[in-house]
Amino acid sequence: MKNILKLLGGCFVASAAAQQPLFIPDTLSGSTITLNMHADSVQFLLGIKTSTYAYNSYSYLGPTLILNNGANVSLVVNNQLADTSTVHWHGLHVAAINDGGPHTPILPGATWNPQFTVMNSAATYWYHPHTHMKTAEQAIKGADGMIIVRDNAEAALSLPRRYGVDDFPIIVQSVQFDSLNQLMPLGMQDSSLMVNGTMNPFVNLPSQVVRLRLLNASGERVMNFGFTANKSFYIIASDGGLMSAPILTTRVRLAPGERAEVLIDLIGMNGQVVNLMSYGSELPVGVQGGPTMAMPPGSPPMDSPLNGVDYNLLQINVAAQTLNPVTTIPSSLVPLNPWLESQANITRTIAMNAPSAMSMDGPFTFNNLSFDMMRIDYQIPLDNIEIWELTNQTMVAHPFHIHDVQFYLLDRDGNLPPLHERGKKDVVLIESNETVRFITKFEDFADTLTPYMFHCHILMHEDDGMMGQFLVVPATSGMNDVIVNDGFRLFPNPIKDKFSVQLLDKLDKVLILEIHNLLGEIVYSYNFKSNEIIDLDLSMLNAGTYIAKVKTEKNNFVQKIIKN
Ligand code: C2O
Ligand code: CU
Ligand code: CU
């Protein structure tokens, strides 16, 4: 399996006129999927090659993974980079330890082997690194790939699903090269466009109904997808599943991280050309890619030539029909059953903040708290149905993403969301001064130690601290707002029978110690009367792993302990 980017190596240059055939990554499927993450380089521009990250035989991006709902899959991720990394399955509902967030680093040379059952609905997902403070750098170097989930409900519909024939991955990235032709993780002057890692691409599509899986994998830029001559198309899927019915439209706006599957009807157009565009001129000021704002002095440059203009992403040359073409658009797709507001256990309110009202480049935060690997922002009881109410108090739009779940939008500023945002989602763009509410349920996976992330999917904002984390805990684990850190010592650990607890903060006072088993049940508890180190006795517990939780006057701490 030779890499097309490599084969094309010599002619893979950015001369404005030289069009390149759209690169279509091969697919990988089956019960064991191996991903070798490695450093490489690509001749994107004339002169110096661009250093890249990629998977398997590719020099940029990775294969498209095809997963079947209900199947068990074992992913073998080998980190052949010189740097620590992680791989996150964006949008997939998996246990926190399999999620590939910053708490599951893969050291250089190491292998990570998450195994899980595919529980998601048929839709388009993706994978990318999620390394602490390095997501932008590693994802923008190309360590991204598409995931296609298939299920029975989707298979029963008459939809194009022949990969590379009538069903295409469309991974769109807007990137910025520095003067040495290297990809820049930061900055707002991104001016080079790629689809599937191809600059200035064209693709030949058959004159029938064709499915495009649009993924905005840019670090920052919002895409306002449409076709030339305002050709209409149908949106059939949002981030996490099919819509209830195809939605006829001429635009779909996707922020970084968002996906949409669309059907375009090319019947009778053999020989014609139609371009996939982004209509940036229609984006409002404040949405990245819209017209550049008047900048306060001292702000970073953000004058990309792509801001506020319409530009071509992919030239589509319509060609002959294939055998057995899909020629109709289904009238309905799958039933959707959003949770009702009346079912919610809690509403969490999150404000998006900037250091000053005029700040365009952050560092942005949630509720004025910068990301802290040691701080758990929410402890969510398993099976909670929750409303999250997000208010953007900054000048710029932020795509909010949450791991573990798919959600349904309830409203935007009190109004029903547009039709194409009424399906399952895991990213939602929130404009300046806007309030968005969504509802979701935290099901199936509880883990008192490994958190899931929520963050802005503008990668520079995420790395800069616009991220938080939550634990989904067994509904029986009584303590709220547990903070994971090493704020106390429980020693010795492993414990034989006698042990002691000591707080690192001498001004704090320990109140309660609880020992939970891995089901979250309390198997031991002790109410402290003073901060003295006293010998406690755990000799009655069976050998095994337990969770120690300490409640103090200032904090709650949690730590894994071993009983021998
Ligand atoms: Cu696509 Cu937390 O990421
Ligand atoms: Cu994600
Ligand atoms: Cu942001």
Side-chain angles (χ1 to χ4, degrees):
M1 228 185 327
K2 233 340 200 163
N3 167 6
I4 293 181
L5 292 178
K6 268 186 178 151
L7 289 177
L8 289 173
C11 52
F12 211 78
V13 294
S15 100
Q19 281 196 321
Q20 308 295 331
L22 179 70
F23 171 61
I24 311 289
D26 279 334
T27 60
L28 276 183
S29 57
S31 55
T32 302
I33 290 177
T34 301
L35 291 174
N36 297 319
M37 210 178 186
H38 64 275
D40 213 314
S41 64
V42 174
Q43 191 80 57
F44 279 121
L45 305 175
L46 289 169
I48 303 171
K49 281 188 161 191
T50 301
S51 300
T52 55
Y53 286 171
Y55 300 89
N56 299 7
S57 61
Y58 301 120
S59 310
Y60 188 80
L61 303 181
T64 295
L65 313 185
I66 311 264
L67 305 180
N68 291 308
N69 176 280
N72 296 320
V73 61
S74 167
L75 289 141
V76 181
V77 183
N78 299 307
N79 180 4
Q80 299 167 357
L81 302 174
D83 198 0
T84 297
S85 194
T86 83
V87 178
H88 167 57
W89 323 106
H90 178 128
L92 293 191
H93 176 49
V94 296
I97 50 159
N98 292 327
D99 188 49
H103 291 270
T104 45
I106 320 171
L107 299 178
T111 295
W112 179 57
N113 180 213
Q115 301 175 30
F116 53 82
T117 303
V118 180
M119 298 177 78
N120 286 72
S121 303
T124 302
Y125 305 87
W126 62 306
Y127 58 98
H128 62 75
H130 218 300
T131 317
H132 185 45
M133 297 181 80
K134 287 188 173 175
T135 297
E137 175 194 323
Q138 297 187 346
I140 279 166
K141 278 188 153 179
D144 313 279
M146 185 171 276
I147 300 174
I148 296 175
V149 172
R150 302 197 187 284
D151 68 11
N152 293 337
E154 190 268 350
L157 295 164
S158 169
L159 290 172
R161 64 174 66 80
R162 287 177 287 172
Y163 185 84
V165 177
D166 59 7
D167 181 351
F168 290 83
I170 305 288
I171 305 172
V172 177
Q173 290 171 297
S174 158
V175 299
Q176 182 176 348
F177 291 98
D178 67 15
S179 58
L180 297 173
N181 292 355
Q182 301 309 305
L183 290 159
M184 293 177 66
L186 300 164
M188 294 183 276
Q189 292 176 297
D190 54 321
S191 56
S192 299
L193 298 161
M194 299 185 190
V195 180
N196 300 349
T198 312
M199 298 176 83
N200 205 4
F202 71 90
V203 66
N204 300 326
L205 298 185
S207 43
Q208 60 205 54
V209 175
V210 173
R211 182 183 196 161
L212 302 179
R213 296 172 184 269
L214 306 176
L215 158 62
N216 185 353
S218 303
E220 167 125 19
R221 178 169 299 272
V222 174
M223 297 287 165
N224 190 28
F225 291 103
F227 296 93
T228 33
N230 285 327
K231 180 173 172 52
S232 60
F233 58 95
Y234 298 84
I235 301 171
I236 58 164
S238 52
D239 300 333
L242 291 167
M243 315 298 302
S244 55
I247 295 156
L248 181 64
T249 187
T250 56
R251 296 285 185 272
V252 59
R253 185 180 80 177
L254 298 182
E258 283 188 296
R259 291 87 67 205
E261 293 176 22
V262 304
L263 297 182
I264 176 170
D265 182 349
L266 300 173
I267 292 170
M269 291 179 63
N270 194 355
Q272 296 182 34
V273 171
V274 55
N275 290 335
L276 175 66
M277 310 272 299
S278 178
Y279 286 91
S281 68
E282 297 167 7
L283 292 174
V285 174
V287 168
Q288 294 78 356
T292 302
M293 281 186 243
M295 297 292 295
S299 303
M302 49 184 288
D303 49 348
S304 164
L306 298 176
N307 285 351
V309 302
D310 303 336
Y311 47 88
N312 181 18
L313 290 164
L314 172 65
Q315 179 178 318
I316 297 169
N317 303 325
V318 185
Q321 246 180 27
T322 65
L323 282 177
N324 305 314
V326 173
T327 55
T328 54
I329 309 284
S331 56
S332 67
L333 297 165
V334 297
L336 296 178
N337 298 301
W339 300 280
L340 303 174
E341 240 186 285
S342 58
Q343 293 176 282
N345 303 85
I346 187 175
T347 296
R348 298 188 194 272
T349 53
I350 297 180
M352 300 168 155
N353 318 108
S356 84
M358 290 302 286
S359 176
M360 316 259 185
D361 62 334
F364 299 104
T365 52
F366 293 123
N367 291 336
N368 289 309
L369 286 173
S370 189
F371 178 65
D372 180 349
M373 284 276 268
M374 295 302 198
R375 186 190 68 239
I376 296 295
D377 296 279
Y378 303 116
Q379 186 178 346
I380 297 176
L382 184 65
D383 289 330
N384 243 29
I385 296 178
E386 303 202 346
I387 294 171
W388 286 36
E389 180 178 310
L390 309 153
T391 300
N392 184 350
Q393 301 175 350
T394 76
M395 300 275 289
V396 298
H398 301 277
F400 183 91
H401 170 52
I402 181 169
H403 291 208
D404 182 33
V405 297
Q406 293 291 325
F407 55 75
Y408 288 98
L409 288 195
L410 289 170
D411 40 44
R412 285 186 171 276
D413 278 340
N415 303 312
L416 273 182
L419 278 178
H420 72 275
E421 289 191 327
R422 295 190 195 173
K424 292 179 187 169
K425 291 191 59 57
D426 56 54
V427 180
V428 58
L429 185 68
I430 302 167
E431 290 188 37
S432 178
N433 289 317
E434 191 180 25
T435 294
V436 169
R437 294 192 314 149
F438 67 71
I439 188 164
T440 190
K441 185 173 184 186
F442 297 84
E443 300 174 283
D444 304 309
F445 305 110
D447 184 335
T448 50
L449 290 177
T450 307
Y452 293 105
M453 305 292 123
F454 58 91
H455 56 90
C456 177
H457 221 289
I458 290 179
L459 302 178
M460 334 15 190
H461 296 180
E462 171 189 340
D463 284 344
D464 262 4
M466 197 176 192
M467 178 151 75
Q469 47 188 2
F470 60 96
L471 289 171
V472 177
V473 297
T476 50
S477 83
M479 292 174 78
N480 291 321
D481 300 312
V482 166
I483 296 177
V484 175
N485 68 15
D486 51 5
F488 75 103
R489 284 207 320 134
L490 194 157
F491 58 95
N493 187 9
I495 297 169
K496 205 156 178 324
D497 39 35
K498 294 271 199 323
F499 71 101
S500 305
V501 174
Q502 182 183 32
L503 285 185
L504 300 186
D505 179 352
K506 294 283 177 289
L507 300 176
D508 200 359
K509 188 162 177 296
V510 60
L511 301 174
I512 306 169
L513 164 75
E514 285 179 357
I515 309 281
H516 295 241
N517 64 20
L518 291 179
L519 298 173
E521 297 160 348
I522 300 173
V523 292
Y524 176 91
S525 82
Y526 185 85
N527 288 310
F528 284 80
K529 281 154 213 81
S530 71
N531 235 353
E532 296 152 56
I533 299 175
I534 39 173
D535 268 356
L536 301 168
D537 193 341
L538 274 190
S539 51
M540 69 294 179
L541 290 187
N542 295 329
T545 303
Y546 294 86
I547 311 298
K549 296 184 176 182
V550 169
K551 185 166 182 48
T552 72
E553 279 181 343
K554 295 184 184 172
N555 276 316
N556 292 315
F557 300 119
V558 61
Q559 205 173 89
K560 194 194 268 184
I561 57 169
I562 310 284
K563 168 75 175 29
N564 282 338

